[in-house]
Amino acid sequence: MRIRAAVLHQPGTPVTVEEVELDGPKADEVLVRVAAAGVCHSDVHLADGALGPNRWPMVLGHEGAGVVEAVGERVTHVAPGDRVAFSFVPSCGACRACRAGRRNLCEPAGRNAFAGRLMDGTSRLRMPDGTVLQHGLMTACFAERTVVAAAGAVPLDADIPLWQAALLGCGVVTGAGAVRNTAGVRLGDTVVVIGCGGVGLQVVAAAALAGAGRVVAVDRDHAKLEMASARGATAGVDASDGEDLVKRIRAAAGGAPDWAFEVIGRADTMRLAWDVLRPGGTAIVVGLAPAGVEVSLPAIEFLSEKSIKGCYYGSTDVADELSRLVRLVAAGRLPLADVISRVSDLDGAEDALERLRRGEGARTVLVMDRELAQVPDSVP
Ligand code: COD
Ligand code: ZN
């Protein structure tokens, strides 16, 4: 079928919205009519060629929600008409990582996502001239429709509007999982969040929900500090002035923190996360720096039992985590709309990437169909 989609042809050139060919779902795949998709900084990294070579031409988009239109053979967990959110790691359940209970690290899912293919190693997307298109992180949801691996379509069993549910599959699962699973924040802990964009703001909310005693938001953009404060941060530190940053963060935290989350993807802020910690504290690195970037640490400080830990996609079974987070959203305990600084149509994809490059606003949600996405008239 012909669909409109946002295509990255070459890094460093604007993505263009154009008509492409989408094949129907094969066995263990699902065709979804996309209602809405969130624009994440990782889309910027992909568009800028910072996540490795040969990752184009590609249909971008890895965070979104929609309605199932058709299912391939053997798919039983969803049926046409079901509302779903996407997971960009449709874990196989059979590889070593999955069997060890680390489904976010599923080996075939990781391999195929990197190659821009579905789980059988092929693509359902082509340019009209036949050129094969990659599926962005196995999701490719900057598009009117998409075919995803069955495990990548997670049923939404609570009635939350799809333009908000669009954020679940990257920012919310990543942020909440980092707090709950990668870290394991306990009641009363002190948490510092360095970088409060679309993902960092989810770390802030999850830390507050986990009962952290203090949550210190650190960002160079004042507007993000205000959003963080509305989501439960107890203090904000302006990082646009680098002077005495460790001292100022510790003062705002009432001492050196137990946890520091880096949610930007820069070597200097990863080092900052390490530097602010108390002895025994842990830095959780959510952000991914472009290939080739290295971080150095003062080795003597391992004596104080500080740790630094990597983090990918919530460190858990994503589908299960997502389903549980939906209940919190439905109960009104985890807001989503407040991080959506703009709603746009699919043609606004490149502008949304540009705003992220400029550090302007938090999430843009691309809405393919306002009615399907349940966007109220009050939202421009
Ligand atoms: N000091 C303080 N704050 C800063 C600095 C700095 N030097 N530089 C940027 N910031 C702030 C910005 O003002 C902004 O508020 C925030 O950092 C970044 O936010 P966004 O909205 O641009 O980015 P997110 O939240 O959409 O994405 C951040 C990630 C770090 C999660 C993402 O880009 C990333 O690195 N992902 C890697 C992991 C990955 O690939 N996951 C798969 C899909 S996400
Ligand atoms: Zn993302």
Side-chain angles (χ1 to χ4, degrees), residues 1-14:
M1 71 200 81
R2 275 276 157 107
I3 58 157
R4 293 180 78 240
V7 181
L8 168 70
H9 286 281
Q10 273 288 332
T13 63

Side-chain angles (χ1 to χ4, degrees), residues 40-43 62-63 88 137 170-171 174 199 363:
C40 172
H41 212 111
S42 296
D43 298 307
H62 59 276
E63 175 186 272
F88 58 80
L137 291 193
C170 177
T174 299
V199 181
R363 278 296 199 252

Side-chain angles (χ1 to χ4, degrees), residues 19-167:
E19 297 216 317
V20 304
E21 282 293 332
L22 176 69
D23 292 337
K26 291 192 182 173
D28 301 313
E29 293 174 1
V30 175
L31 169 68
V32 179
R33 183 161 166 223
V34 182
V39 184
C40 172
H41 212 111
S42 296
D43 298 307
V44 176
H45 287 323
L46 280 165
D48 293 346
L51 296 186
N54 307 321
R55 303 199 69 175
W56 54 87
M58 173 187 275
V59 173
L60 289 174
H62 59 276
E63 175 186 272
V67 176
V68 173
E69 274 195 337
V71 301
E73 276 171 49
R74 295 196 292 264
V75 176
T76 54
H77 77 299
V78 288
D82 286 356
R83 293 148 32 89
V84 294
F86 300 119
S87 154
F88 58 80
V89 177
S91 37
C92 73
C95 72
R96 198 174 50 154
C98 284
R99 280 186 279 115
R102 307 197 67 184
R103 295 181 75 111
N104 62 312
L105 300 181
C106 171
E107 292 156 15
R111 209 168 40 240
N112 286 308
F114 191 73
R117 306 293 149 102
L118 295 184
M119 290 297 265
D120 72 348
T122 67
S123 171
R124 304 289 159 272
L125 286 162
R126 273 170 288 119
M127 296 294 298
D129 70 2
T131 309
V132 174
L133 284 162
Q134 297 190 28
H135 294 245
L137 291 193
M138 259 202 262
T139 309
C141 63
F142 291 175
E144 292 169 333
R145 286 178 171 76
T146 184
V147 169
V148 296
V154 183
L156 291 167
D157 51 17
D159 189 22
I160 61 174
L162 292 180
W163 69 289
Q164 297 180 25
L167 303 185

Side-chain angles (χ1 to χ4, degrees), residues 20 77 96 146 162 165 169-170 193 218 261 288 293 353 355 364:
V20 304
H77 77 299
R96 198 174 50 154
T146 184
L162 292 180
C170 177
V193 184
V218 180
F261 294 82
L288 177 84
V293 172
L353 296 172
R355 277 193 295 280
T364 296

Side-chain angles (χ1 to χ4, degrees), residues 39-46 51 62-63 88 137 169-171 174 194-201 218-222 224-225 237-240 245 262-266 268-270 272 285-289 311-313 355-363:
V39 184
C40 172
H41 212 111
S42 296
D43 298 307
V44 176
H45 287 323
L46 280 165
L51 296 186
H62 59 276
E63 175 186 272
F88 58 80
L137 291 193
C170 177
T174 299
I194 303 169
C196 297
V199 181
L201 286 167
V218 180
D219 203 291
R220 60 183 181 193
D221 175 7
H222 209 262
K224 304 293 178 17
L225 295 178
V237 173
D238 179 358
S240 59
L245 207 41
E262 198 276 358
V263 205
I264 304 169
R266 294 171 53 101
D268 59 345
T269 43
M270 291 175 197
L272 176 64
V285 179
V286 182
L288 177 84
C311 171
Y312 185 62
Y313 209 10
R355 277 193 295 280
L356 280 176
R357 288 187 186 104
R358 288 198 301 269
E360 194 185 309
R363 278 296 199 252

